[in-house]
Amino acid sequence: MPRPLRPTLRTLAAAGLLLPSLLAAAGGAAAASAATQNEVPVLNGDFTDPAIKGDQSTVGLSHWTGLNQRFSAAASGRTDGANGVGLSKADNTLWQRLRGVRTGSTVTVAFEDSPAVAKECAPQDVADGQPYTVHGSGGTVQQMTTAPDPGRTKGKPGTGHWTARTYVFTADENEPVLSFTSKVTDTRAQVPCSPMITRVRAVEVPVPVDKTIDKYALGTAEAYKDNEKEAWLHNAAAACNGENACTFQPDPRHSFRYYDKARVVGEAFVNCTRNALDHSRTLSYTERAHDSVSQTYAAANLRLDEVARLPTTGDRTEDKKRLKDRPMAAQFALAYEIAWQRPFQWFSSDQRTVVERIQPGEVSWVEIQPSRERVEGWFVSGKDDYRLHTVIDAPSRAVPDRIFQRTGPMAEAEKQRCAAARPMTTTPVGGDTPAASADKGLLEIPPPTGPSVRPGRSVPLP
């Protein structure tokens, strides 16, 4: 059988994520398109970490959870440097979360299996192969059996009979669990004499990005530590509460720019006159950011932890303070700038003057369609392996906002208002009397205060 899926590109993007790769499908299938299929990072898939001493070891494997009996590449009968791992006693499970995989993605797992090579195996233990299961969250539990190894002699190590396998499932949770479980029950030496696996690899067809999600409902933020899902976000956020404590790893596959829904800025100007009008107005508008962490706290009716406060309140003074004080804000902005080569802005504002030409019987108003972008990714702590999934939606510098200066016919209510008589008070007494002059001498004419035009002189009387 041909070898399983073979990654041809392992370079991490500047954002910290693996780029799409062209991968050969197992069983002679055609190469998958890089536009639709991405490599999934299976950590320590060759079981080489930590380094093995001697031919076999029971030391815990980095990034995997569960018991194991590990054999060196030479003892496993391999020439590629990958170590073989026995799945240990019946119903023991060796498992790992597949990082970055989102709910709804289709994952294809490739690996190799072999009957045990341990010298403790009796001939009947491996003559017909050894059973185990493989399972991914959301998929079926697939029953597997290794190749047989007839002719074995107890007390003599086996040479390994490795076979390439594949398993496909559709994830029903974020960061789905991939597990291998031993089903060996008919041997007294289950721990060393158990089915073996190695060279675990995976690719995915990501779920299409849902661009209809509103910025006010970005979804539930999730936190993990190693392979365990955290009950709440606090510990992961606290782990990032230091200048270089965490790095943010954006996921370009689920990040995008878009134009928000149009909204009216300022008032509508109604021209009830018989002439065209040139109307000048000054427009001011602001935009703010939103994040899934604060929305998750709000949905749970909990007070937002200090360490998890990003500059997304909408209060400019408060957000400027958080820009300086919150390490997570700086971690996010730095990763964004590295990935997209432009600075990130948590909030924006603008002011401009427009002149409207409004025809008689028309209404004029201005709408804005802000340019925004949504960034999805992970705050990752290298020290404790905490991961905090976060979505941030903010004003975009990449493309300009759209401003629409619009005129149109009046609504019925506006027509009625324009046709209405000018508001007046009544004249209850003498309302039908013709108008006439009525100077009642109530005003006093003040004497002139300026200097006389002619100089003063005395005139004798006759």
Side-chain angles (χ1 to χ4, degrees):
M1 180 176 289
R3 291 188 66 82
L5 298 177
R6 188 157 49 95
T8 61
L9 183 61
R10 300 183 182 179
T11 305
L12 287 173
L17 293 175
L18 291 169
L19 294 174
S21 307
L22 292 176
L23 301 170
S33 170
T36 59
Q37 208 165 33
N38 299 325
E39 185 177 1
V40 175
V42 180
L43 304 181
N44 198 22
D46 290 344
F47 305 115
T48 55
D49 189 20
I52 190 170
K53 297 180 180 179
D55 286 338
Q56 66 186 70
S57 169
T58 57
V59 175
L61 299 170
S62 299
H63 306 297
W64 292 88
T65 301
L67 300 176
N68 72 89
Q69 183 77 17
R70 185 169 53 146
F71 295 82
S72 68
S76 301
R78 301 191 62 86
T79 59
D80 58 2
N83 297 325
V85 169
L87 299 178
S88 194
K89 58 185 179 180
D91 294 326
N92 173 67
T93 296
L94 189 67
W95 60 281
Q96 178 183 147
R97 287 192 177 272
L98 298 181
R99 304 187 179 202
V101 177
R102 311 301 294 156
T103 301
S105 298
T106 299
V107 182
T108 300
V109 182
F111 58 97
E112 296 182 38
D113 67 15
S114 169
V117 297
K119 62 183 180 180
E120 290 86 351
C121 294
Q124 64 271 22
D125 295 334
V126 294
D128 298 321
Q130 294 184 291
Y132 68 97
T133 62
V134 58
H135 179 235
S137 302
T140 58
V141 178
Q142 186 167 324
Q143 306 289 332
M144 308 288 285
T145 303
T146 69
D149 190 7
R152 282 282 295 276
T153 302
K154 187 172 184 179
K156 183 178 179 181
T159 57
H161 291 266
W162 293 97
T163 305
R165 308 288 189 183
T166 58
Y167 170 70
V168 181
F169 71 98
T170 299
D172 66 352
E173 65 173 333
N174 297 329
E175 303 231 329
V177 171
L178 173 65
S179 61
F180 300 89
T181 303
S182 173
K183 294 299 178 182
V184 173
T185 59
D186 58 352
T187 177
R188 289 173 294 176
Q190 290 183 36
V191 174
C193 191
S194 61
M196 301 172 65
I197 61 169
T198 194
R199 292 283 297 173
V200 184
R201 302 290 187 270
V203 294
E204 67 165 336
V205 177
V207 63
V209 179
D210 185 357
K211 297 184 179 181
T212 65
I213 296 175
D214 194 271
K215 62 180 180 291
Y216 298 106
L218 296 174
T220 303
E222 297 173 325
Y224 300 84
K225 183 177 183 182
D226 197 13
N227 290 324
E228 300 291 344
K229 186 174 182 178
E230 293 282 284
W232 193 238
L233 311 181
H234 175 76
N235 290 339
C240 295
N241 193 29
E243 183 178 357
N244 299 311
C246 287
T247 57
F248 184 80
Q249 296 180 353
D251 186 348
R253 302 168 304 171
H254 294 270
S255 302
F256 58 93
R257 299 194 302 268
Y258 70 101
Y259 279 107
D260 204 357
K261 297 176 182 178
R263 70 175 189 269
V264 176
V265 181
E267 300 80 13
F269 194 95
V270 182
N271 185 2
C272 291
T273 73
R274 297 183 177 90
N275 302 309
L277 296 177
D278 289 330
H279 176 240
S280 178
R281 72 162 83 190
T282 299
L283 299 175
S284 298
Y285 62 93
T286 62
E287 288 290 309
R288 54 167 288 197
H290 303 268
D291 73 273
S292 62
V293 174
S294 61
Q295 291 177 3
T296 300
Y297 275 85
N301 200 27
L302 294 174
R303 184 176 180 273
L304 185 62
D305 286 327
E306 178 71 23
V307 293
R309 294 179 181 177
L310 293 169
T312 57
T313 67
D315 182 323
R316 188 63 59 88
T317 301
E318 172 65 19
D319 287 343
K320 285 183 177 180
K321 179 177 181 295
R322 291 186 182 186
L323 275 176
K324 298 178 180 179
D325 297 345
R326 293 272 62 83
M328 288 175 63
Q331 293 159 11
F332 176 87
L334 175 61
Y336 176 92
E337 188 165 350
I338 291 174
W340 281 283
Q341 297 299 301
R342 61 177 179 266
F344 184 77
Q345 62 179 12
W346 295 91
F347 40 79
S348 67
S349 61
D350 197 8
Q351 178 174 302
R352 63 186 63 192
T353 300
V354 297
V355 179
E356 304 163 291
R357 181 75 171 175
I358 313 170
Q359 298 300 323
E362 283 192 337
V363 181
S364 173
W365 70 97
V366 176
E367 295 177 358
I368 181 172
Q369 235 185 331
S371 167
R372 299 185 65 87
E373 57 190 314
R374 189 163 298 174
V375 181
E376 180 173 328
W378 302 84
F379 286 97
V380 179
S381 168
K383 178 182 178 182
D384 301 314
D385 201 19
Y386 276 109
R387 305 186 303 284
L388 176 59
H389 180 262
T390 308
V391 182
I392 293 175
D393 190 297
S396 175
R397 290 178 181 264
V399 291
D401 298 331
R402 289 172 175 163
I403 294 181
F404 299 89
Q405 185 175 326
R406 303 184 60 184
T407 59
M410 296 182 189
E412 284 302 319
E414 292 165 338
K415 290 179 181 178
Q416 293 172 12
R417 182 65 257 160
C418 284
R422 180 165 56 95
M424 294 290 289
T425 58
T426 60
T427 307
V429 178
D432 55 350
T433 302
S437 176
D439 183 4
K440 300 184 181 298
L442 297 179
L443 298 178
E444 294 182 358
I445 300 176
T449 58
S452 175
V453 178
R454 292 183 179 181
R457 62 191 179 111
S458 298
V459 179
L461 294 175

